[in-house]
Amino acid sequence: MLGAAIGFATFRKNREKDAEEEGKADGVVLTEIGYIKAGIDDIKRKQDRQDELYIKIAERLTAVEASAKQAHLRIDRLEGKI
């Protein structure tokens, strides 16, 4: 009977230790997942800024192309007068 009681106590102690270690491991995993999520969020913010910059550059390029086209028309008219 004493052997069974000691065996049960050992089993219970080991089970509690295993649960504690598992809890620590789960905590580490959740922390790492949090870091990964924060990194992804940061990348998304940077990508959004890059998208905005790209749109602004495309708008400016369109304006420059239109201006160059008008300049070429004026140059062509001036050449025609000469």
Side-chain angles (χ1 to χ4, degrees):
M1 182 89 130
L2 180 61
I6 291 173
F8 179 74
T10 303
F11 168 77
R12 186 170 178 190
K13 183 178 180 182
N14 287 339
R15 187 177 68 180
E16 289 172 3
K17 184 178 178 184
D18 290 346
E20 181 180 335
E21 289 175 4
E22 187 177 324
K24 286 180 184 178
D26 288 349
V28 169
V29 170
L30 291 175
T31 300
E32 294 298 322
I33 289 172
Y35 288 138
I36 293 168
K37 183 184 179 312
I40 290 170
D41 290 344
D42 187 45
I43 291 168
K44 285 181 180 179
R45 281 190 297 277
K46 288 178 182 177
Q47 184 64 46
D48 288 343
R49 284 187 294 221
Q50 288 295 322
D51 290 347
E52 290 172 11
L53 181 61
Y54 175 78
I55 290 169
K56 288 178 183 178
I57 290 172
E59 290 170 350
R60 290 178 63 190
L61 177 61
T62 301
V64 168
E65 288 173 336
S67 178
K69 183 178 179 181
Q70 290 299 319
H72 282 289
L73 292 174
R74 289 190 300 272
I75 290 169
D76 290 343
R77 276 186 265 154
L78 286 173
E79 286 178 342
K81 289 183 180 180
I82 297 180

